[in-house]
Amino acid sequence: EDQVTQSPEALRLQEGESSSLNCSYTVSGLRGLFWYRQDPGKGPEFLFTLYSAGEEKEKERLKATLTKKESFLHITAPKPEDSATYLCAVQARGGGTSYGKLTFGQGTILTVHP
Amino acid sequence: DTAVSQTPKYLVTQMGNDKSIKCEQNLGHDTMYWYKQDSKKFLKIMFSYNNKELIINETVPNRFSPKSPDKAHLNLHINSLELGDSAVYFCASSQFVTGNQPQHFGDGTRLSIL
């Protein structure tokens, strides 16, 4: 069974203090790893897709990286508006009744203080 | 322009009642999903439909019945509501073609059972 574990559960940073969020996964053949941001009372907002080990993607202060066992979301010089829950999800290869299924981690709650 | 919209946003009802949640997407996607987010914030897939055909049907009580009248709409009907059904239900959509396209989420329906 596919599994995703995110750490830490919660992270408090001062504005400008860079850090990383971790997503460890086990999956029977990775089709894609997805990062989402979720604000209170809102649905998850898509950030990145990573497909293979060694791949990196960037967007503003965020950079996502992927290895064969984990993914990191690096946040450089964060601002208070980066405060949110960050979710990681994996999609396994294979078809049939699991095609398209995302397995999510429990998320990391990021708080950035001014 | 809301890409994935759900109604209602809040639903408060009593045990034993039957209720429906509606979802519509204007992204032109051919696949839609229902997820449940519990009190611990875990997002778990329930169902997916591709072009009105049921693809994913996770271990969900048969009191939950999805219906897709066309590929832009996916509704969720719940019979005989129980206390444990209290959660936030999210609708999502994606393009099915390669299976690893990102899913786009609505803002959720918060269901509270009294």
Side-chain angles (χ1 to χ4, degrees):
Chain A
E1 187 176 328
D2 304 333
Q3 284 192 323
V4 179
T5 302
Q6 293 187 242
S7 61
E9 289 188 10
L11 181 62
R12 294 177 180 270
L13 299 174
Q14 288 297 125
E15 185 172 1
E17 179 186 1
S18 301
S19 189
S20 296
L21 281 56
N22 177 263
C23 171
S24 298
Y25 65 91
T26 54
V27 64
S28 54
L30 183 69
R31 184 183 294 275
L33 184 141
F34 301 81
W35 281 99
Y36 286 85
R37 168 191 171 130
Q38 186 174 21
D39 292 301
K42 298 288 188 180
E45 176 188 346
F46 170 70
L47 294 174
F48 304 108
T49 310
L50 301 167
Y51 299 105
S52 57
E55 189 174 1
E56 299 182 352
K57 290 207 175 156
E58 286 189 70
K59 180 180 179 180
E60 297 181 356
R61 295 176 292 281
L62 300 177
K63 179 180 176 180
T65 62
L66 181 65
T67 73
K68 289 186 178 180
K69 293 183 179 181
E70 56 192 358
S71 177
F72 291 93
L73 185 65
H74 307 277
I75 304 176
T76 302
K79 297 182 177 181
E81 54 261 42
D82 294 323
S83 298
T85 297
Y86 290 85
L87 299 169
C88 172
V90 296
Q91 192 173 77
R93 293 189 183 278
T97 58
S98 294
Y99 199 84
K101 174 183 175 181
L102 286 181
T103 300
F104 280 86
Q106 80 278 21
T108 292
I109 302 170
L110 174 66
T111 306
V112 181
H113 297 283
Chain B
D1 286 348
T2 304
V4 181
S5 59
Q6 298 178 226
T7 54
K9 188 171 177 65
Y10 299 97
L11 189 52
V12 181
T13 189
Q14 291 191 328
M15 262 192 344
N17 285 349
D18 303 338
K19 290 292 178 186
S20 293
I21 306 171
K22 294 186 176 182
C23 179
E24 176 181 3
Q25 56 94 4
N26 63 5
L27 296 168
H29 291 160
D30 59 8
T31 305
M32 297 184 72
Y33 310 80
W34 278 112
Y35 285 84
K36 179 179 180 180
Q37 189 170 45
D38 61 23
S39 57
K40 295 184 179 180
K41 304 299 184 184
F42 261 109
L43 263 170
K44 190 169 182 182
I45 185 127
M46 300 172 69
F47 305 101
S48 77
Y49 270 76
N50 171 252
N51 282 322
K52 302 193 293 178
E53 179 184 351
L54 181 65
I55 302 295
I56 297 174
N57 185 359
E58 290 290 285
T59 307
V60 176
N62 57 15
R63 298 181 294 103
F64 290 79
S65 53
K67 283 189 171 53
S68 181
D70 55 60
K71 67 178 186 178
H73 295 83
L74 180 62
N75 304 322
L76 183 65
H77 188 76
I78 315 170
N79 288 327
S80 303
L81 281 158
E82 300 178 357
L83 287 175
D85 298 333
S86 294
V88 183
Y89 293 85
F90 287 97
C91 176
S93 71
S94 71
Q95 196 59 21
F96 192 78
V97 177
T98 58
N100 58 6
Q101 297 303 303
Q103 295 175 19
H104 297 267
F105 286 78
D107 282 338
T109 295
R110 183 174 296 276
L111 175 62
S112 299
I113 310 300
L114 303 177

